[in-house]
Amino acid sequence: MATELEELIGFLSHPSPPIKKAAVNIVRDYTGSEEGIQSLGKYFAVAVPSLFLILAEKKEVSEPAAEALVNLSQVPDLAGKMVEMGIIKIVMDILYKLECDIKHLLVMLIVNLTQLDVGIESLLQNEDEKMQGLYIMKLVRSFCTSSSEKKGDDPFEHVASILVNISQKETGRKLLLDPKRGLLKQIIRQFDSPSPLRKKGVSGTIRNCCFEAENQLQNLLLISEFLWPALLLPVAGNKIYNEQDTSKMPLELGSALSIEREAVTDPEIRVQVLDAIYLLVLQEAGRRAFWSINGPRILQVGYEDEENPRVMEAFERVGSLLIQESGEDTGSA
């Protein structure tokens, strides 16, 4: 005989809208607790495909179905099974349908799935050479062009976390750094967003991409007009720089530093950009580029204003490299 939970899952595909709605709401509530998720996990092979199918229906049922899947996908084993079932293709197909009004939940689902290597591989479409990178290009375009009509309504805001996830893998970094696609250049511009989540996602993505500096420094420096301001303005301190300092900087940096500006208060962002600078100046050509924009002076001023111990440590790590370089230059003179 079928258990109560089996019967409930059966109602997810019931032709009657009120019955289906009641069932999906109860299933969603089940996923709100660890015990409920464990119980549903036993019927995963039936429950999850039924929830997938509901995602393309009206909001009154698709929303609780998506919430249930987001909750389930927080469990790594279950998220891995979802990826094996092909959920990323399903989600991406629904996400880009005009009538989709649960975009923010579908993006959150992808965030959870890309915590896993298999999820990243699936989203990058690495198995299909012709399609490779198409999903990421779509998500980046949405991330960079979407705007919230009202406060709190930013359906693609969490793409920031997806970008951090995929850039933890070499294949993801190479895709973002491909100059023909120009994805990182688009992403960096979102650093000016008022959204803290977007800002943090951009700084984390840049940092991860800088792990490729040894092999891809040229591609990183190709977008230096956007890269250096994103990396240096958060750690430039609060002072207005004098003309003597700004005259040695590119226009986009010098202009921003010669006026009052809003401080980046999140210490995590400041650590991330300093880590990125460190990875760039580890390379000789990166150090030369950094000196050429008067970068060391910006770090010197920023360090004087810094109070967070972790950020100060990150400053000192970059500083030790630059002092070493300066000493070598003096010794060889």
Side-chain angles (χ1 to χ4, degrees):
M1 272 183 68
T3 64
E4 276 185 32
L5 194 50
E6 274 180 299
E7 284 185 8
L8 174 65
I9 291 165
F11 287 134
L12 290 175
S13 48
H14 200 281
S16 163
I19 291 174
K20 183 186 284 190
K21 183 183 174 185
V24 75
N25 279 321
I26 296 168
V27 168
R28 186 263 321 274
D29 293 343
Y30 255 94
T31 66
S33 72
E34 202 173 314
E35 191 183 340
I37 287 175
Q38 280 179 348
S39 300
L40 269 175
K42 294 171 189 171
Y43 305 100
F44 189 88
V46 182
V48 169
S50 298
L51 291 169
F52 287 178
L53 290 171
I54 298 173
L55 289 178
E57 296 185 22
K58 289 181 180 176
K59 188 179 180 181
E60 61 180 18
V61 287
S62 65
E63 188 169 54
E67 286 168 347
L69 288 167
V70 168
N71 291 341
L72 289 168
S73 66
Q74 289 172 25
V75 180
D77 285 352
L78 301 185
K81 287 177 185 174
M82 285 186 198
V83 174
E84 284 170 20
M85 289 175 168
I87 189 172
I88 283 183
K89 184 182 186 311
I90 294 167
V91 168
M92 287 298 294
D93 287 348
I94 296 169
L95 186 59
Y96 286 96
K97 282 185 175 170
L98 286 174
E99 65 275 14
C100 176
D101 44 17
I102 55 164
K103 289 183 169 74
H104 65 294
L105 286 168
L106 297 181
V107 171
M108 279 300 302
L109 183 52
I110 299 172
V111 172
N112 290 348
L113 298 172
T114 52
Q115 302 277 354
L116 304 178
D117 287 356
V118 286
I120 294 171
E121 287 288 311
S122 178
L123 188 66
L124 292 173
Q125 298 163 286
N126 284 336
E127 289 176 6
D128 188 340
E129 222 173 286
K130 288 180 182 175
M131 302 292 285
Q132 196 173 22
L134 183 64
Y135 288 162
I136 299 300
M137 288 174 76
K138 280 186 169 186
L139 287 169
V140 168
R141 185 168 64 242
S142 300
F143 180 62
C144 296
T145 57
S146 63
S147 59
S148 53
E149 291 172 13
K150 55 188 179 187
K151 200 171 180 184
D153 178 24
D154 186 355
F156 289 98
E157 181 181 41
H158 285 275
V159 170
S161 302
I162 296 171
L163 296 171
V164 172
N165 290 348
I166 65 156
S167 61
Q168 287 172 359
K169 293 287 165 194
E170 186 183 359
T171 46
R173 294 193 291 268
K174 285 185 172 173
L175 177 69
L176 295 177
L177 283 164
D178 182 350
K180 289 176 188 168
R181 297 182 193 254
L183 296 176
L184 188 60
K185 181 178 172 181
Q186 295 173 55
I187 293 163
I188 288 176
R189 290 174 174 175
Q190 286 299 302
F191 195 75
D192 292 335
S193 166
S195 158
L197 179 62
R198 282 176 176 258
K199 268 186 190 296
K200 198 167 184 174
V202 172
S203 63
T205 302
I206 297 170
R207 172 191 173 273
N208 288 347
C209 285
C210 285
F211 278 101
E212 295 297 315
E214 188 176 355
N215 303 313
Q216 298 236 34
L217 185 66
Q218 204 51 46
N219 287 338
L220 282 159
L221 294 180
L222 271 175
I223 53 170
S224 59
E225 175 189 350
F226 306 98
L227 183 65
W228 290 128
L231 294 181
L232 284 163
L233 292 178
V235 290
N238 304 319
K239 296 183 181 74
I240 293 175
Y241 285 60
N242 61 42
E243 198 179 332
Q244 188 182 348
D245 287 335
T246 57
S247 64
K248 297 170 190 167
M249 298 173 192
L251 186 63
E252 59 275 6
L253 257 181
S255 301
L257 293 174
S258 26
I259 54 171
E260 280 191 24
R261 57 204 175 275
E262 205 172 311
V264 172
T265 53
D266 187 341
E268 188 64 33
I269 290 177
R270 301 201 298 280
V271 169
Q272 286 175 340
V273 297
L274 287 163
D275 284 349
I277 292 168
Y278 178 81
L279 292 164
L280 291 170
V281 300
L282 266 177
Q283 311 305 316
E284 189 184 342
R287 285 195 297 277
R288 283 202 304 271
F290 194 65
W291 280 99
S292 75
I293 58 159
N294 208 12
R297 174 60 182 156
I298 297 172
L299 293 190
Q300 183 186 9
V301 174
Y303 183 69
E304 289 166 5
D305 283 347
E306 188 55 63
E307 293 176 356
N308 183 287
R310 272 189 68 226
V311 184
M312 289 173 81
E313 194 179 315
F315 263 112
E316 287 157 13
R317 204 156 69 108
V318 182
S320 66
L321 262 184
L322 297 170
I323 290 165
Q324 185 183 332
E325 169 82 359
S326 180
E328 284 170 10
D329 289 349
T330 309
S332 61

